[in-house]
Amino acid sequence: MQFKHVTLDFEGAVAVLKLDHQEVMNAVSIDMLGGLAEALDEIEEKRAEVRCLVVTGAGRAFCTGANLQGRNAQAKPGRSNAGAALETAFHPFLRRLRNLHCPIVTAVNGPAAGAGMSFALMGDMILCAKSAYFLQAFRRIGLVPDCGSTWLLPRLVGKARAIELSLMGEKLPAETALEWGLVNRVYDDGALMEETMKLARDLADGPTVALAQIRRLYWDSPENSFEEQLNLEFQSQRVAGSTDDFKEGVTAFLEKRPAKFKGQ
C-alpha cells in the first residue's frame, strides 16, 4: 500500500512500514507524517491480524531527520515557531508508536539522524546494518534535540553519553551503538532485512496481549516508584492471565510441546 512518502506491506502477521522519500534520504516532512498517520490507521484497522510492526527506510537511509527543504532560511529570530510541527505532527506519531498494540522492530538500514534517530529508538528491538550510524544533528542547525531523544537517550546510554552525542553532534557507528547498549543487534548490510523479518515473525507468533503488556511495563517503569511498578505488574499480569494464550502456554508447557499462540 502506498501513502505519501510511505509504503506499507503485510507479510502474514507482520506489517512492514517503510519511510520512502529517497530523493531526500527519507527526511521527514509534514506530508510524510500524514502518510505515516494513514499507515498507522490501516494497521489499527487490522489490529486483530497484525502482531508485529517493522519500521525501516527505503534505499540507502533510514531517516535523515526533518526535511528542511523549502523552509525560509531568512526567518528572523523570534518571528517563527520552530517547534510548532512537533506538537501538531511529530508528537502524535510518536505517541501512537508508544501505545501500539504489538511489538515494534526497527531495521536501521542507513543513517538515522535527528528525528530519524528518535524514530529508530522507538523500536522495542533495534536492529542495524553495519553501515548504519546515528547522529544527533540538531546542534548543526542551532536547535535542541527533540522527538523524545532527550528522554530516550539518557535512559538507554546514560547521561554522559547522551549529552556528548547532543553537544558534539558526532556520528555514532552501529557497532559502537551496540557496545553502548543503544541497539540490540548489528548485521551485515545484506542480511539486515532477512534477520529482521525472522525476528519479527518470531514476535508475531508470540502471545500478543502479553507482549503488549510487557511494552507498557517498560515504557512506564522509568516514571514509576517501586510500589507503583509492582501495582502495574499486578494489573498487567491479570490482563495477560485472562487470555487464551496463557492457557495455551501452560498446556503446551505441561505437554512438553511448542505453544501455538493466537494473540488472544
Side-chain angles (χ1 to χ4, degrees):
M1 304 178 71
Q2 189 70 47
F3 303 96
K4 191 68 173 180
H5 304 318
V6 174
T7 59
L8 176 64
D9 296 298
F10 296 98
E11 299 190 23
V14 178
V16 181
L17 181 63
K18 187 175 293 185
L19 311 180
D20 193 359
H21 194 184
Q22 297 182 51
E23 295 84 354
V24 293
M25 297 183 72
N26 303 327
V28 186
S29 61
I30 296 299
D31 282 344
M32 178 185 280
L33 287 164
L36 288 167
E38 291 183 75
L40 288 181
D41 288 343
E42 191 69 27
I43 291 169
E44 287 293 336
E45 287 182 11
K46 299 178 181 293
R47 62 180 295 137
E49 305 164 32
V50 176
R51 297 170 62 185
C52 185
L53 170 64
V54 169
V55 181
T56 190
R60 59 194 181 94
F62 179 79
C63 174
T64 53
N67 188 345
L68 301 180
Q69 291 187 8
R71 291 182 65 93
N72 182 6
Q74 304 302 317
K76 296 180 180 179
R79 297 286 182 85
S80 64
N81 184 352
L86 290 175
E87 191 59 24
T88 59
F90 284 87
H91 292 175
F93 172 65
L94 293 166
R95 290 182 180 114
R96 290 185 72 179
L97 286 184
R98 169 173 177 164
N99 295 317
L100 198 68
H101 69 281
C102 63
I104 301 171
V105 180
T106 47
V108 186
N109 56 304
M117 182 172 178
S118 293
F119 286 10
L121 298 182
M122 291 298 292
D124 302 302
M125 294 289 292
I126 305 167
L127 280 51
C128 294
K130 281 186 178 178
S131 66
Y133 64 83
F134 297 91
L135 177 65
Q136 284 285 287
F138 301 95
R139 63 153 286 169
R140 299 188 176 195
I141 57 171
L143 289 178
V144 303
D146 58 25
C147 289
S149 58
T150 60
W151 190 93
L152 291 162
L153 277 172
R155 287 165 170 78
L156 290 169
V157 297
K159 178 183 174 183
R161 283 172 169 165
I163 291 180
E164 179 181 352
L165 287 170
S166 301
L167 290 182
M168 303 309 297
E170 297 172 343
K171 293 180 181 178
L172 178 67
E175 292 185 317
T176 305
L178 180 64
E179 293 173 8
W180 284 13
L182 186 69
V183 306
N184 297 98
R185 301 177 189 181
V186 174
Y187 297 104
D188 290 335
D189 289 22
L192 175 65
M193 285 312 297
E194 179 183 352
E195 294 295 336
T196 296
M197 293 307 296
K198 187 186 302 182
L199 186 147
R201 292 188 189 101
D202 183 54
L203 288 170
D205 287 339
T208 311
V209 174
L211 299 185
Q213 293 298 315
I214 290 170
R215 294 189 76 233
R216 180 190 175 202
L217 285 165
Y218 282 106
W219 269 109
D220 290 354
S221 174
E223 305 303 315
N224 284 344
S225 67
F226 182 63
E227 286 299 324
E228 288 169 335
Q229 195 66 12
L230 287 178
N231 289 334
L232 186 58
E233 289 176 353
F234 166 68
Q235 295 164 13
S236 299
Q237 200 68 286
R238 291 189 68 179
V239 172
S242 68
T243 62
D244 291 339
D245 278 345
F246 170 61
K247 297 174 185 175
E248 163 62 11
V250 172
T251 301
F253 175 79
L254 295 174
E255 295 178 355
K256 296 182 173 55
R257 62 170 175 80
K260 297 179 181 179
F261 296 117
K262 297 181 178 179
Q264 301 172 351

